[in-house]
Every structure is written in C-alpha cells, then in structure tokens.
Amino acid sequence: MVNSVGILGVGTYLPDNIVTNDDLKGKVNTSDDWIRSRTGIRERRIAPKDMLVSDMASEAARIAIKDANILPQDIGMILVATVTPDHSFPSVACMVQESLGIPSGVPAMDISAACSGFIYGIVTAMHFIQVDTHQYILLIGADKFSSIIDWTDRNTSVLFGDGAGAVVLGRVRHNRGILSFDLGADGTGGKHLMADPLVSMNGREVFKFAVRQLPLVTETVLAKCSLTNQDIDLLIPHQANTRIIEAARVRLGLSEEKISVTVDRYGNTSAASIPLSLAAEIEQGKIKDDEIILLVGFGAGLTWGAVCLRWGI
Ligand code: UT7
C-alpha cells in the first residue's frame, strides 16, 4: 500500500512594510474605493529592495521545520514554487539549502507554475513520499512581485504583495492527508498573464478563466475522492480577488466561514498565497483534526490545481 501523505508543519514570512491603497495613490491614478470594490484588497506587504526571495523562503521554512518537530538535517528534498527567483540559477531551493544548513546531497529544485505553483509542489512532493524515496519534503511558495511590477501601471501594480509560506510534508496515518489531487494547464492562455520582464495582464480574461476554473477544479478533486461540496469544511483558494472567491463560494453553495480570505491583508502573493492563508486559518484555530480542507490554485500559464486533504497526522 502507498504511504498517506500530509502536512506536518507550517511557517510563514511576511515583510514588515505595510503598503495601503492610499499609499499607492501617489504612484498611479487610483483610489482606495476602486481597489477595495474591484479586488477586496486593503493593503499588502512589500519587501525591501535588498531582500531576496530566498531570504523570505528561508525564514518561512525555518518556522515550518520547527513546527513539524524535525531538524533541517531530516529534510530529504527541497521544492520552491516561485516565478520570481533571485537568479535564473542557482535555484531558490539551492539557496534555501545553504541558508538552512540542509545537508549537501539533498536534491533541491524550483517549480514554475505561477500562482498554482504551491499546488504543483504538493503533488510533486506527495509522489516522492508515496514511493518512499524521501521521508520529509520541504515545500515553500515564495514570490516577490514588487520586483517585477511596472509601478506606473495601475492595472497590475495595485494587485500584488510579497511573502512566503512553507510546509513540511511527510507520512501520516491511513485516511489522513491528501485524498485526491487534480492539476491542469492551458498554454493557449499564456498571453493573458506574462512577465517579460515586467508583469502585464489581460485582467478580464484571467478573471473569466478564474471564475470558471476555481469551482470546476474544486468539484473535480472532490469527485476523485467520492466527496461532495457539502463535505468541505474549509476551502482555501488562491488569493487574487475577493470577487473571484465570492463567485466560487456562491457557485459551490458554501457559507462564508467555509472559504478563506486573506487577499484583503496581503494582496495577491502568487505562490505564497495558499500557504499564507493556510497558516492564518491554523493560527485562528479554524482547522481541526479530521476536517476536509481543499487547497485550490489558478494562475499564469494558464495553470490550475487542487488537492483535497483530510487534516491530521
Ligand atoms: O494571480 C493570478 C490570477 N490573477 C487574477 O485572477 C486577476 C484576475 N483579474 C481581476 O482580478 C480583475 O480583472 C482586475 C481586478 C484586474 C480588474 O478588475 P475589472 O473589474 O476586470 O476591471 P477592468 O480591467 O475591466 O477595468 C475597469 C476600469 C478601466 O477603465 P475604463 O476602461 O472602464 O475607463 C480601467 O482602466 O477600471 C480602470 N482601472 C482602474 N481604475 C482605478 C484599472 N485599474 C485601475 C486602478 N484604479 N488601479
């Protein structure tokens, strides 16, 4: 029988610097009212110029390793979901390895799937643990969009924030952890959201895709483990826009407390958004043993993915 795989520890890093909507008014022609009503965002965290993505990722990882009650030496593989690496190479994962003192020989690599990167990372980690290649895998979602934003473009500059979220994945008892997953991509939509080298986005196209795909992939992943919408205890979607989240909530027939919202505080943190939300929900005591938790990502590529978990170790 294959090993059951779950989340053993969680950690986050958010830069101290809070940038409100009013702070952005001086840079582009926008307003707090427009940003709040169209996106739900009130504020976001912006990292200092000299802070690297690997710095944020390492901080989140340290906390996750401690939370899992293991040591850096126990980590068998490092995965970092990011589209804003410090360098083309070495990978952020290799930089985290050095910074945390994870032993030489442990494999490390980055995963590029934009805002779906954390979900792609969980599914990758799960397969390595299932076949017993590695006992503990460190997975980090970390992005610093402030370094690739055109700060004169009001269409994109108000949307994003910086941050990192990390988890340690490992074996859990039977019927806990990941019950099912679904991943997908549609390269024909790549043109709608690109960084070349600065971010450009056809907001309406991405919006339509997200509103369609988020409920669809949620229902697919539930069906794969013979559950229904009514079984969901908490849905943690990628945090891009409260209107997208609200449309999905209504479509899936969920009450407000069953869907996680942190985009108001953090903005869109790309690959970090799902682990940041997960950590916020755990901190507020909203996730209990045996509950059904869905993590759902969507973003550039276009890409999407979901995992259904039964919480607990
Ligand atoms: O993480 C990856 C996934 N990303 C997403 O899911 C983002 C998906 N897209 C969205 O969330 C929304 O499309 C946006 C929030 C980006 C935009 O909202 P929208 O309701 O689709 O607005 P729009 O792009 O249709 O623009 C409406 C108007 C335009 O003016 P006109 O042409 O009607 O005169 C824009 O120029 O709002 C204007 N506008 C702004 N006004 C004030 C665009 N950005 C701003 C701004 N402040 N920051």
Side-chain angles (χ1 to χ4, degrees):
M1 196 179 67
V2 292
N3 294 311
S4 298
V5 178
I7 292 175
L8 310 180
V10 180
T12 62
Y13 178 80
L14 284 158
D16 293 336
N17 179 27
I18 297 174
V19 174
T20 65
N21 294 341
D22 279 336
D23 294 333
L24 294 173
K25 278 196 316 201
K27 295 190 173 188
V28 285
N29 180 14
T30 190
S31 65
D32 177 51
D33 184 51
W34 191 96
I35 301 172
R36 268 185 209 237
S37 60
R38 297 291 180 123
T39 73
I41 298 168
R42 288 186 285 118
E43 59 189 42
R44 73 285 292 140
R45 305 296 182 96
I46 300 293
K49 278 209 164 57
D50 60 354
M51 180 177 282
L52 302 175
V53 170
S54 56
D55 296 331
M56 297 197 294
S58 298
E59 284 310 311
R62 260 185 209 105
I63 298 166
I65 290 170
K66 198 159 174 238
D67 191 44
N69 266 318
I70 60 168
L71 298 169
Q73 297 88 286
D74 298 323
I75 297 293
M77 176 182 261
I78 308 160
L79 301 173
V80 178
T82 186
V83 286
T84 52
D86 307 338
H87 317 285
S88 302
F89 53 87
S91 64
V92 176
C94 285
M95 298 181 70
V96 169
Q97 180 176 28
E98 185 193 22
S99 133
L100 265 61
I102 294 173
S104 166
V106 168
M109 66 176 174
D110 289 358
I111 292 176
S112 175
C115 302
S116 311
F118 188 77
I119 304 296
Y120 272 64
I122 288 194
V123 176
T124 305
M126 179 194 80
H127 283 100
F128 280 106
I129 297 167
Q130 272 182 344
V131 297
D132 230 359
T133 318
H134 302 292
Q135 196 177 0
Y136 297 113
I137 296 186
L138 173 64
L139 168 66
I140 309 159
D143 268 308
K144 187 185 176 195
F145 264 58
S146 63
S147 63
I148 59 164
I149 283 294
D150 174 356
W151 284 102
T152 66
D153 176 14
R154 69 175 181 174
N155 290 304
T156 52
S157 61
V158 303
L159 304 176
F160 295 95
D162 301 331
V167 294
V168 173
L169 292 139
R171 285 179 218 149
V172 292
R173 80 191 125 115
H174 179 60
N175 203 27
R176 287 291 186 282
I178 300 166
L179 304 178
S180 62
F181 72 89
D182 191 60
L183 296 179
D186 174 11
T188 64
K191 55 186 173 289
H192 299 315
L193 180 48
M194 298 186 78
D196 188 24
L198 298 179
V199 176
S200 62
M201 178 169 73
N202 181 339
R204 280 181 203 184
E205 282 304 321
V206 181
F207 189 91
K208 280 192 278 180
F209 153 73
V211 165
R212 194 178 57 243
Q213 199 59 53
L214 174 45
L216 206 62
V217 68
T218 302
E219 286 182 334
T220 302
V221 84
L222 283 166
K224 281 187 174 182
C225 57
S226 306
L227 296 175
T228 71
N229 305 358
Q230 300 317 309
D231 296 309
I232 299 175
D233 290 302
L234 185 65
L235 172 60
I236 303 183
H238 167 54
Q239 303 286 315
N241 186 323
T242 48
R243 284 157 59 213
I244 295 171
I245 296 173
E246 181 60 11
R249 186 187 73 73
V250 171
R251 185 50 217 284
L252 293 165
L254 302 177
S255 57
E256 278 181 19
E257 65 277 6
K258 290 202 169 174
I259 197 155
S260 177
V261 178
T262 54
V263 66
D264 54 335
R265 285 170 277 161
Y266 307 148
N268 180 344
T269 54
S270 184
S273 91
I274 292 172
L276 284 174
S277 270
L278 174 66
E281 300 292 348
I282 292 172
E283 204 177 336
Q284 289 167 38
K286 296 245 188 81
I287 300 185
K288 297 183 188 71
D289 188 58
D290 205 30
E291 286 188 338
I292 295 294
I293 312 297
L294 268 87
L295 311 179
V296 187
F298 55 87
L302 299 167
T303 55
W304 60 89
V307 294
C308 180
L309 293 151
R310 187 182 294 280
W311 196 255
I313 54 173

